Structure formats: structure tokens, C-alpha cells
Amino acid sequence: MTHVSSLYLHVPFCKHLCNYCDFYKRKIDTTQNQFEDFHQFLKESVVHHQNFLKCHDFSWAPLESIYLGGGTPSLWGERGASFFEREVLQAPIQRGAEFTMEIDPGTWTLEMIEAWKAVGLNRISVGTQSLNPDFLKILDRVHSLEETLGFLTYLKEENWNYSLDFLLGVPFSIEKNRDIRSELDKLLHYSPKHISLYILNARSKYPYIQHMPDDHYIREEYLFVSDYLKAKGFHHYEVSNFALPGFESKHNFKYWRGESVAALGPTGTGYLSKSSTEAVRYKWKVSQAEVEIENLTEKELSLERLYLGLRTSDGFQMTQDLTCLVESWSQQKYVTLEGNVIKLTSLGYLMLDSLMDDLFRFENQSGNR
Ligand code: SF4
């Protein structure tokens, strides 16, 4: 029997559906019984999930990490805290566990946070995106700058362990001369322990597709932010993540290190690592409490390990002769080599997909020789 000690729960409700967002979510509608339906879905899912774990010879161990993502999980409120504790949790939470909830400005109350704290909440991830009111509007965010600053003030005063989401590659950045440095200075004033940096991925129907900054701009913006945060003591420990020492996300490291993470909630995706050569990934359907299952082959797992290793400051231990490739990457300042561990630089993180293409080409050529 193998154990799983991490849980992701997807809570798919938002006050407003931002026009750039690809996540599965529904607009909250107080005239409907959305939460009753969600609770019913979760109750059925928990039963199904217990059987699913058993079939794969897994059982729960005391939880080391919990992550409530969305959507906007904070909209679940106090009723969510009691439902989660009563119906969802199937194992005790370990002392020192990391328990994160995503909370958007304007979607919280002190009572709600206290209720979740009583269940174990000790880390908050804030959907900030920008500290410029013009860009908040362009981004179709429903919260105001005042709501953001009010929440950050509370988090700072209460010394919360919290993370901020910050978005780059925002439309009109060039036309409106986005001042990233002053936004970062404002953010840092509120003492976040962790910052997640994302690049907006515009689809063809995105309303501002004609006003997206070009690749060169985004590259300079990303490298500037990386250098700036590093100079302020943050560790660029994963492609999109920066942390003060000791505040790296334990939950996300489980994914990046290929460790098991169970999941619940519509579109929630779990991963069960059975051995170094066998794993199963599963994703919850939206309309039924059922999962779609993907069994990963040994080859898929080894590529995934390489990709995930390169994503983080753990790096990847060379197991085959990649010397030529790594030399060329190193000349272009994409990687450094520590012993035989390849680690990406910030520029390398930005180029990760193209480095993976290089690697596939290299492996195919080697295989064809
Ligand atoms: S609040 Fe977050 S999850 Fe909801 S629509 Fe906006 S970006 Fe998407």
C-alpha cells in the first residue's frame, strides 16, 4: 500500500469571469443552489475517490499539504470551512502542514478567514495581478485597487504567510508605458513571502489581441522582474515562482518532484506515483463525480521528470551524455552545471519550451544514429 499526503481541491466559482481566463469556473449566482450542488458533487466524489485510491492500492497518510484553488475558493465562505472539515477531509492534518487557499481581493471577511484558520489554513495566495488601476480594468478584474491594498494591509499586519499573483505581458503595456518597477515596489511594501509571476496567454478571440506586447518586450519584462526580486532577497526557485528563503510552496514542490497529490472538485487533477516507472494521473469530470484516467508509461515519466526537474532550482541530474547540448545551452547562458546537475538560469526558465524542443531533437538524432 502506498500513501498520499497532499490534497488539491478545485472550487469553481468566481464573482466575475475575467476575459483572459482559461480555468474551469462558473459565475456565482446567488439565485441558484450552486453550493448545494457543489456539496453534492463533492460528497459523491469523496466516495468515488476512496474506491479509486483503494483500486490503485493507495491510502491516505496524515496530510502534509492542502491547496484550495479555483475559481475563487474564498467565495465558499464559512459554510465551506465546515463542509470541508466534515465531508472532504479523510485524514488528519499533520502539525506543520502547509494549507493554502486562493483569495481574491474583495471576496473575504474576517469571519471567513477565522473559520478556515480553525480548520488549518495557514497560507494565502492572492490574485493581485497588477497594482495599477488602469491595468486592473484592462485585465477585466472585478476588484479595485483599494480592495487589493486593504487586503494586503490586513495580511501584512497579521503577518500572514502569503503569496501574490502578478501578471506580465499585459495588453497596452507598451502604449501605456507600464511601470513594473513602481508596481513591484508597492507590492514589496506589503511584505509578501512569495510571488507567482505569470505571463498572460492571449487566445485568438481575446478582445485586446491587437494590443499585446511583443516577445522581446515580455522577455525584458520577465528578466527585469526576476533580477529585481532576486536583488530584494527572493529566490527564483521555479519558472513562475519566487520566494523568500524557507517560503517556497511545499504543495507545488510535490508536483514538480513527481510526488503523489490527490485531487477533488470539477477539473481537479490528481497524480499517484506508484514507483519510479509507474504513475497514474486523473482528472475530475465537470458534470459527474467521475474521473478520466491516464496511465503514464516509463518513457513518459522519465521525460516528465526531466521537464519538471528543469522547471525548478532542483535541476536535473544528467543520466546520459548530454554534454554537447548542455555546452551549447551554457554558452547561451540558459543553464549552469553544478557537478552533473543541470540548472536553468532565469533566461533558461523563459526558454524552457524551446530547450525541451532541443532536447527532443537531440534524443531523436541520438536514437537514429
Ligand atoms: S478570478 Fe481568477 S479564476 Fe476567476 S475568472 Fe478571474 S482569473 Fe479566472
Side-chain angles (χ1 to χ4, degrees):
M1 178 83 64
T2 323
H3 294 106
V4 57
S5 58
S6 288
L7 171 67
Y8 173 82
L9 172 60
H10 188 79
V11 185
F13 301 105
C14 292
K15 260 168 97 171
H16 164 81
L17 306 185
C18 311
N19 63 10
Y20 64 90
C21 176
D22 279 338
F23 294 118
Y24 173 71
K25 72 271 166 188
R26 298 171 215 148
K27 189 166 187 300
I28 196 144
D29 181 348
T30 45
T31 63
Q32 290 185 22
N33 296 331
Q34 282 172 323
F35 282 107
E36 281 75 9
D37 294 347
F38 181 55
H39 287 180
Q40 188 55 35
F41 181 92
L42 285 181
K43 278 186 185 172
E44 288 169 22
S45 303
V46 166
V47 174
H48 186 80
H49 194 240
Q50 289 298 100
N51 291 331
F52 175 77
L53 290 180
K54 211 167 153 196
C55 277
H56 287 276
D57 209 21
F58 266 78
S59 68
W60 290 104
L63 291 165
E64 291 172 326
S65 73
I66 299 173
Y67 195 103
L68 267 69
T72 310
S74 42
L75 293 172
W76 202 7
E78 289 151 78
R79 82 196 115 180
S82 55
F83 184 87
F84 180 79
E85 188 171 34
R86 205 178 55 243
E87 305 283 351
V88 178
L89 272 183
Q90 300 294 307
I93 303 174
Q94 269 189 36
R95 185 186 288 268
E98 180 186 271
F99 186 151
T100 307
M101 180 192 255
E102 292 178 355
I103 302 184
D104 280 345
T107 67
W108 65 287
T109 61
L110 276 180
E111 294 72 27
M112 182 280 284
I113 291 188
E114 287 303 324
W116 279 99
K117 253 171 96 172
V119 184
L121 180 73
N122 56 17
R123 184 172 183 271
I124 288 175
S125 171
V126 188
T128 319
Q129 318 310 349
S130 166
L131 279 195
N132 178 318
D134 292 344
F135 285 108
L136 285 177
K137 268 209 190 85
I138 288 169
L139 284 170
D140 196 28
R141 299 293 298 187
V142 74
H143 60 259
S144 66
L145 180 60
E146 290 65 35
E147 284 173 322
T148 306
L149 299 184
F151 191 30
L152 299 187
T153 303
Y154 159 77
L155 294 171
K156 181 179 180 178
E157 283 173 2
E158 298 294 319
N159 197 24
W160 268 91
N161 172 9
Y162 79 97
S163 176
L164 292 169
D165 286 352
F166 193 64
L167 207 49
L168 301 183
V170 170
F172 297 101
S173 292
I174 297 177
E175 292 95 318
K176 288 182 173 284
N177 205 9
R178 184 179 183 193
D179 186 350
I180 283 286
R181 183 185 173 137
S182 91
E183 287 190 46
L184 288 176
D185 283 339
K186 266 192 223 158
L187 283 181
L188 295 177
H189 168 75
Y190 294 94
S191 314
K193 310 284 193 256
H194 187 281
I195 295 179
S196 294
L197 191 66
Y198 299 110
I199 296 173
L200 195 147
N201 181 16
R203 291 151 293 154
S204 57
K205 287 190 182 146
Y206 182 57
Y208 299 135
I209 193 77
Q210 302 301 336
H211 299 279
M212 300 308 291
D214 55 44
D215 288 350
H216 175 74
Y217 180 94
I218 292 172
R219 172 188 156 120
E220 295 304 305
E221 194 180 39
Y222 177 90
L223 294 177
F224 170 78
V225 175
S226 173
D227 286 346
Y228 200 69
L229 291 178
K230 284 191 278 191
K232 299 288 181 186
F234 284 81
H235 177 204
H236 192 173
Y237 75 98
E238 195 268 345
V239 175
S240 304
N241 288 288
F242 297 78
L244 292 178
F247 289 95
E248 295 83 3
S249 164
K250 289 183 194 159
H251 184 82
N252 286 340
F253 254 118
K254 293 246 178 182
Y255 297 109
W256 300 323
R257 289 179 176 154
E259 294 171 23
S260 298
V261 179
L264 287 167
T267 72
T269 301
Y271 180 86
L272 300 178
S273 169
K274 299 181 178 186
S275 68
S276 60
T277 55
E278 216 187 334
V280 57
R281 182 173 284 124
Y282 59 100
K283 183 173 178 179
W284 288 93
K285 293 182 182 169
V286 167
S287 48
Q288 290 152 293
E290 288 176 4
V291 289
E292 283 159 11
I293 300 171
E294 181 192 5
N295 289 301
L296 298 163
T297 64
E298 188 173 350
K299 177 141 174 77
E300 284 166 340
L301 276 177
S302 92
L303 276 174
E304 210 166 271
R305 258 195 302 278
L306 170 59
Y307 177 72
L308 293 173
L310 288 177
R311 284 190 75 97
T312 72
S313 54
D314 282 354
F316 183 78
Q317 190 124 14
M318 276 204 283
T319 51
Q320 51 186 300
D321 191 7
L322 296 171
T323 319
C324 300
L325 194 56
V326 173
E327 257 176 25
S328 132
W329 285 350
S330 158
Q331 275 163 12
Q332 295 172 82
K333 301 202 171 12
Y334 296 154
V335 297
T336 56
L337 203 55
E338 293 177 20
N340 64 348
V341 176
I342 316 166
K343 292 192 180 185
L344 295 196
T345 60
S346 296
L347 179 59
Y349 284 147
L350 193 59
M351 304 299 292
L352 179 60
D353 288 343
S354 106
L355 300 192
M356 287 308 288
D357 288 343
D358 285 354
L359 193 72
F360 290 137
R361 264 196 304 275
F362 182 81
E363 285 210 325
N364 283 338
Q365 279 164 10
S366 313
N368 292 338
R369 264 177 219 152

